[in-house]
Amino acid sequence: MKSRGERHIGLLNGFAAYGMWGLVPLFWPLLKPAGAAEILAHRMVWSLVFVAVALVVVRRWAWAGELLRQPRRLALVTVAAAVITVNWGVYIWAVNSGHVVEASLGYFINPLVTIAMGVLLLKERLRRVQWLAVGIGAAAVVVLTVGYGRPPWISLTLAFSFATYGLVKKKVNLGGVESLAAETAIQFLPALAYLLWLSSRGDLSFAAEGPGHAALLASTGVVTALPLVCFGAAAIRVPLSTLGLLQYLAPVFQFLLGIFYFHEAMPPERWAGFALVWLALTLLTWDALRTARTHRREIGRPGTTMPTGTVGPVRKAESLASGAEPEPLDSPAARP
């Protein structure tokens, strides 16, 4: 059991991590006139620089040698790097193109997409409330398609890319900072080559917009890694179910920024779609917490011998509060 002080520190770090992820839409517009592709490339390059320095300081390099000796695991990291590239790129473009609300929707529906992928790809069995939540989520997408006059492809791309990332990360089993280092190491050379190509054409904004703008572009590494460090500090101090609930802070902040700061339109049909998504998430969270409490009571009952493997469902039930398995929660490098 963690002490009250430890849990308090964990909660503060959790709020800091998800708060920074929720407020990041305020940062990307500061990088204009750099386009989304250039910002993405800078994020890859400077993130690797930042985490490499951090790993040198703490002397945590043993995992790299082990990873290089495991081709299958390295291939999965490469897939994760490709998926994270899509996720980051679409999010940056969405924010700087005036689609912050639609981007926030992607992280609201991600738990539902994760559960649906678990059924389709991992043959997992759902409880009735979970099926109901997924069905309501699907209905919400239909309502939002009518509201937008097109499928909410930004939201769906973000949700499916993040869910796919979580699925791959479950197999890789690397810590958050280590996974970010491995993935950005794979991204580094293509990103650097793209920046050099932009420079050769005279289209690179890094040196053309002054030292302040260059510093902002370089700080994309800090913006990417700092919330991850805070998340890591929270993950070892607070229950997984608490982290699952805190996860909703990020899309809530993004949604509020889209409405009140960026003044994006929200006609009635979009409100209806979002309301259905929030209803689905409420059902999902309630069912996950109820199931976790039931398992804990059964485990703690005197004279009760639980079957082998029972502890696994407890962690799974708690993690379903966020719609993800424990492993992806430990490695949220795909966050915006």
Side-chain angles (χ1 to χ4, degrees):
M1 290 290 292
K2 300 291 183 183
S3 68
R4 174 179 288 186
E6 283 286 291
R7 292 196 298 270
H8 183 66
I9 293 172
L11 281 174
L12 289 178
N13 276 280
F15 277 112
Y18 288 112
M20 284 186 277
W21 280 319
L23 297 176
V24 77
L26 297 173
F27 178 72
W28 302 125
L30 300 177
L31 306 183
K32 294 178 179 180
E38 183 184 348
I39 295 172
L40 175 63
H42 278 290
R43 186 178 192 182
M44 295 172 179
V45 169
W46 294 108
S47 292
L48 178 61
V49 172
F50 184 87
V51 294
V53 171
L55 290 171
V56 167
V57 171
V58 298
R59 298 181 180 180
R60 281 164 52 184
W61 287 106
W63 60 271
E66 295 175 6
L67 181 62
L68 291 173
R69 291 191 294 270
Q70 299 175 357
R72 181 179 178 276
R73 203 169 171 214
L74 189 59
L76 288 174
V77 173
T78 303
V79 173
V83 175
I84 205 177
T85 299
V86 173
N87 186 277
W88 285 356
V90 170
Y91 188 84
I92 293 169
W93 176 87
V95 170
N96 284 0
S97 300
H99 299 285
V100 176
V101 170
E102 190 175 350
S104 74
L105 176 64
Y107 292 101
F108 277 125
I109 66 175
N110 172 71
L112 303 171
V113 172
T114 300
I115 288 180
M117 289 180 67
V119 173
L120 296 174
L121 301 179
L122 304 180
K123 308 302 180 184
E124 295 180 353
R125 298 178 62 184
L126 300 185
R127 297 181 292 276
R128 281 179 292 181
V129 174
Q130 292 172 318
W131 276 116
L132 178 61
V134 172
I136 293 173
V141 172
V142 173
V143 171
L144 289 164
T145 297
V146 173
Y148 280 104
R150 56 169 174 79
W153 69 266
I154 295 173
S155 307
L156 294 174
T157 301
L158 291 173
F160 276 93
S161 61
F162 191 41
T164 303
Y165 176 81
L167 186 66
V168 174
K169 293 300 296 177
K170 179 180 179 181
K171 305 296 183 182
V172 175
N173 193 27
L174 268 181
V177 176
E178 290 86 353
S179 66
L180 181 61
E183 291 149 16
T184 51
I186 292 170
Q187 296 167 330
F188 180 80
L189 288 179
L192 182 61
Y194 177 73
L195 293 176
L196 292 174
W197 177 74
L198 283 181
S199 180
S200 69
R201 290 166 47 93
D203 294 331
L204 186 70
S205 69
F206 182 74
E209 298 296 323
H213 185 259
L216 284 172
L217 286 170
S219 68
T220 53
V222 179
V223 169
T224 300
L226 186 57
L228 194 61
V229 173
C230 292
F231 179 89
I236 62 175
R237 292 178 172 91
V238 299
L240 190 64
S241 55
T242 302
L243 286 179
L245 294 175
L246 287 176
Q247 175 176 270
Y248 294 130
L249 286 177
V252 166
F253 286 166
Q254 293 163 20
F255 176 80
L256 293 176
L257 284 174
I259 297 295
F260 296 109
Y261 184 82
F262 294 102
H263 304 292
E264 295 184 14
M266 277 294 289
E269 57 271 22
R270 292 185 194 172
W271 279 112
F274 270 84
L276 286 173
V277 170
W278 295 331
L279 174 60
L281 292 177
T282 300
L283 289 172
L284 187 65
T285 303
W286 170 80
D287 179 68
L289 296 177
R290 178 181 60 88
T291 303
R293 284 195 298 269
T294 300
H295 280 295
R296 284 196 293 268
R297 282 198 298 267
E298 290 175 353
I299 291 174
R301 188 177 301 159
T304 301
T305 302
M306 300 303 294
T308 302
T310 303
V311 175
V314 175
R315 281 180 56 81
K316 184 173 181 180
E318 288 180 334
S319 69
L320 282 178
S322 64
E325 293 291 333
E327 288 84 358
L329 275 174
D330 290 338
S331 54
R335 286 286 180 187

